[in-house]
Amino acid sequence: MEAINAPKGVPDYVPPRSRDFYTVQEQLSAPARLSGYEYIELPVFEATELFERGVGASTDVVQKEMYTFTDRGDRSITLRPEGTAGVMRAVIENRLDKGSLPVKLWYRGPFFRAERPQHGRYRQLQQVGVEVIGSVDPIIDAEVIAIADQSYRSLGLQDFHLDLTSLGCSNCRPTYRVLLQEFLKRCDLDQETRARAELNPLRVLDDKREVVVAQLVNAPLMIDSLCEQCQQHYDEVREYLRVFGVSWNETPRMVRGLDYYTRTTFEFVHPGLGAQSGIGGGGRYDGLMSELGGAELSGIGFGLGVDRTLLACEAERLTPLRKGILDVCVIPVEAESRTQGVALLVQLRRAGIAADICVDNRSIKSAMKVANNTNAPLVLIIGPDELETQSVIIKEMSSGDQQSVLAEPTTLIPQLQEMLSTLREEQS
Ligand code: HAM
């Protein structure tokens, strides 16, 4: 039979790299959990209309990249391309917006975009995200950005930067839009770009073609057209960012791929990744809740790309990621010691020590090879002598030192725990 491959653009994470993927996912969500954000688990598919209304009908995501199908009940369903619209839907449906505000949530999981696959751009992508709903306080903007910043730093990443700007609000953006459209009318643009300028002029600022870029040097920028409230809000966000110890680049030409952003908007960029350098991004969204049938509440959040953050860690050669997942490997040397080995395994696991046992009656040499491959720092060997004296040999893999210890759990477990904590201290 012919083997079957994964669909194009869909990554597998298999051991040992899956360890790194898991570590990245855990670390990216740790700062949000430490800051009191509650977990929200969301469906992977939703009504198509949610994304059409939430993400914006003129975006590439909605126009070209959604996995949409009709279900058996003739409903149009879409695999979620992003998380924010789904969180809003769930908040409204479960009336979280009627409780104590702001609501602070975090989520993680796969999202789906039918993009052209390349290094760092996948059709199934993984994100860790947060959303804070029901506060316009600039402390929240700074907190959300600082949490993202801390998430990357906790992995040891250093070569990334934060791009920041304000996209204004429903007061000042329409005036700016007209200003920009008037400017674009005076430029020499092709038919398609003209059409884009009519529909979504901000997106023209994102055009990378030299002929266009050259003409846009003097284009008016949103940041120079902010209304007084937006200006003050942005000033305060930056003031609090300083207190949080986060630095940034002013990026007035930033264009995000989703339509809902207002005011504070940001992206984390890692230059080591080539074309797909955005490792995370987010911003404030004022009209999204009401657009989806909820109250007039503002929100802000981010989505951090787990796949790309892993690539960034690899680009920075962050080797501490790759640690083994086992503490101890048990080797029963003879068939007779297998029962003793399993009994020991049970004791270890109950005590919270990550342990595995060598199976299939291997020779001691071959079993040691298997144990070595697991990266477990300690190996417990039970041979005929140990069976007779009811003891085990503890072998420390890094030094090769070994000692015989009574197999009695009240002696053995504390000793192993102490050895493991010393080894961890030495490693860190
Ligand atoms: P986004 O910028 O579309 O924002 O995606 C966030 C991150 O997901 C990107 O910075 C990137 O790291 C990763 N990502 C996006 N597309 C791909 C892909 N095809 N392959 C690999 N990684 C990808 C959002 O999704 C918003 N919902 C974020 C947000 C939350 N804004 C406010 N709240």
Side-chain angles (χ1 to χ4, degrees):
M1 283 266 232
E2 227 179 283
I4 300 167
N5 292 334
K8 216 173 142 207
V10 175
D12 284 321
Y13 292 98
V14 300
R17 194 166 179 250
S18 56
R19 285 184 212 153
D20 303 346
F21 177 85
Y22 186 74
T23 308
V24 168
Q25 197 182 43
E26 286 290 294
Q27 293 286 96
L28 286 183
S29 61
R33 287 181 274 132
L34 271 175
S35 309
Y37 286 58
E38 293 263 21
Y39 182 64
I40 181 166
E41 175 71 32
L42 295 164
V44 166
F45 59 86
E46 298 265 9
T48 302
E49 194 188 347
L50 174 68
F51 303 114
E52 285 170 349
R53 260 157 65 185
V55 176
S58 75
T59 58
D60 277 357
V61 169
V62 169
Q63 282 191 349
K64 305 185 203 157
E65 296 170 0
M66 294 208 300
Y67 283 99
T68 297
F69 59 95
T70 308
D71 75 0
R72 285 160 198 264
D74 237 10
R75 288 166 289 247
S76 181
I77 295 293
T78 293
L79 298 185
R80 59 182 186 184
E82 62 95 55
T84 313
V87 172
M88 292 307 115
R89 198 261 319 131
V91 165
I92 298 166
E93 194 168 336
N94 295 282
R95 301 174 62 82
L96 298 185
D97 54 330
K98 304 283 184 264
S100 155
L101 299 177
V103 181
K104 294 181 169 186
L105 302 166
W106 77 274
Y107 54 91
R108 68 168 158 204
F111 297 88
F112 307 87
R113 297 181 189 179
E115 297 194 78
R116 208 156 39 81
Q118 63 180 79
H119 183 66
R121 188 161 72 192
Y122 307 125
R123 292 183 169 170
Q124 174 171 311
L125 58 121
Q126 300 272 347
Q127 286 184 7
V128 167
V130 309
E131 311 293 345
V132 182
I133 300 122
S135 169
V136 287
D137 194 320
I139 289 183
I140 297 291
D141 300 53
E143 174 186 270
V144 164
I145 295 171
I147 287 175
D149 184 74
Q150 179 55 31
S151 300
Y152 297 125
R153 289 198 191 285
S154 69
L155 282 162
L157 282 174
Q158 288 180 339
D159 304 339
F160 67 92
H161 60 261
L162 165 64
D163 288 343
L164 182 73
T165 196
S166 172
L167 291 182
C169 66
S170 55
N171 275 335
C172 49
R173 194 141 83 210
T175 321
Y176 166 69
R177 197 184 138 102
V178 173
L179 207 68
L180 179 61
Q181 271 173 333
E182 275 168 9
F183 174 88
L184 292 174
K185 269 188 199 139
R186 293 196 296 274
C187 296
D188 180 18
L189 302 169
D190 60 78
Q191 200 66 33
E192 200 185 321
T193 315
R194 287 208 169 284
R196 194 174 312 139
E198 278 306 305
L199 200 66
N200 194 338
L202 255 93
R203 197 142 295 147
V204 180
L205 291 182
D206 201 27
D207 205 311
K208 305 278 188 297
R209 290 171 300 175
E210 252 175 55
V211 276
V212 182
V213 173
Q215 295 187 69
L216 296 180
V217 179
N218 294 319
L221 298 172
M222 182 69 239
I223 203 78
D224 301 319
S225 296
L226 295 179
C227 62
E228 210 182 310
Q229 288 93 325
C230 283
Q231 185 62 54
Q232 189 185 344
H233 190 265
Y234 192 46
D235 289 343
E236 284 185 45
V237 170
R238 289 180 291 184
E239 199 177 306
Y240 290 117
L241 273 179
R242 278 184 208 105
V243 183
F244 274 107
V246 176
S247 50
W248 67 91
N249 297 332
E250 291 291 336
T251 319
R253 285 168 183 267
M254 185 195 305
V255 178
R256 299 271 296 132
L258 313 165
D259 266 358
Y260 44 64
Y261 293 111
T262 54
R263 291 195 165 176
T264 314
T265 309
F266 56 92
E267 243 166 28
F268 286 88
V269 177
H270 196 289
L273 293 194
Q276 304 305 315
S277 58
I279 53 172
R284 186 167 276 287
Y285 40 84
D286 281 340
L288 183 56
M289 274 279 268
S290 55
E291 182 62 38
L292 296 175
E296 285 278 350
L297 290 177
S298 182
I300 179 166
F302 63 61
L304 311 184
V306 181
D307 315 85
R308 289 190 195 165
T309 305
L310 174 55
L311 292 172
C313 290
E314 288 167 350
E316 289 196 33
R317 299 189 197 288
L318 289 170
T319 43
L321 277 188
R322 180 67 57 88
K323 48 181 195 339
I325 56 168
L326 283 179
D327 297 322
V328 173
C329 192
V330 177
I331 301 182
V333 178
E334 307 271 337
E336 297 77 61
S337 41
R338 282 159 58 89
T339 305
Q340 183 61 22
V342 174
L344 192 57
L345 187 73
V346 172
Q347 297 290 347
L348 294 171
R349 288 180 178 170
R350 280 193 189 148
I353 295 174
D356 199 3
I357 187 165
C358 260
V359 293
D360 294 331
N361 291 316
R362 287 167 185 270
S363 68
I364 177 80
K365 196 169 157 208
S366 146
M368 280 308 287
K369 230 186 215 165
V370 172
N372 205 26
N373 283 341
T374 68
N375 281 334
L378 300 177
V379 169
L380 299 188
I381 304 163
I382 314 170
D385 290 352
E386 286 69 40
L387 255 193
E388 217 178 288
T389 54
Q390 300 206 336
S391 60
V392 292
I393 294 172
I394 307 179
K395 179 166 178 150
E396 213 186 290
M397 295 300 272
S398 57
S399 62
D401 293 348
Q402 53 183 61
Q403 54 179 302
S404 180
V405 177
L406 267 189
E408 215 275 308
T410 50
T411 320
L412 180 63
I413 301 286
Q415 172 145 8
L416 290 175
Q417 279 163 336
E418 201 183 311
M419 289 176 82
L420 287 167
S421 86
T422 314
L423 284 168
R424 272 185 214 119
E425 262 167 41
E426 278 170 13
Q427 264 179 7
S428 62

